[in-house]
């Protein structure tokens, strides 16, 4: 079993009305690239044209992005509300 298969076991209750992570408007590309490398759920992305994107819906709530870049990119990082967020199905 590889990591992707383990991640697929998780269940997510996405809070559509309130993102628990919000990014700043102006993002230092070098800082963003750090997030692309460290996020275990691969939620920070850069496409072939250099456009960046982020989707909080599959967040594992590990906090790594918050530690890596502090407030240089992330302007809000909170735990999802009660019953929201990831529910681990393995381990
Ligand atoms: Fe990715 Fe972890 Fe940050 Fe969620 S908390 S976006 S899983 S690095």
């Amino acid at each position: 079993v590889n990591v992707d298969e383990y991640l697929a076991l998780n269940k997510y209750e996405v809070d559509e009305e309130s993102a628990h992570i919000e990014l700043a408007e102006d993002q230092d590309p070098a800082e963003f690239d750090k997030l692309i490398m460290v996020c275990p759920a691969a939620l920070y992305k850069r496409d072939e044209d250099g456009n960046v994107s982020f989707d909080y819906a599959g967040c594992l709530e590990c906090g790594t992005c918050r530690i890596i870049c502090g407030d240089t990119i992330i302007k809000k990082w909170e735990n999802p509300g009660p019953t929201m967020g990831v529910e681990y199905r393995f381990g």
Side-chain angles (χ1 to χ4, degrees), residues 19-64:
H20 71 287
I21 300 174
E22 291 179 7
L23 307 187
E25 297 284 324
D26 283 330
Q27 299 154 357
D28 180 331
E31 290 295 312
F32 198 93
D33 284 348
K34 290 182 192 173
L35 301 182
I36 293 172
M37 282 192 288
V38 301
C39 176
L43 301 179
Y44 296 88
K45 295 181 167 53
R46 182 186 301 284
D47 68 18
E48 292 172 355
D49 297 324
N51 300 312
V52 296
S53 63
F54 169 70
D55 182 2
Y56 67 93
C59 179
L60 301 171
E61 301 165 33
C62 67
T64 306

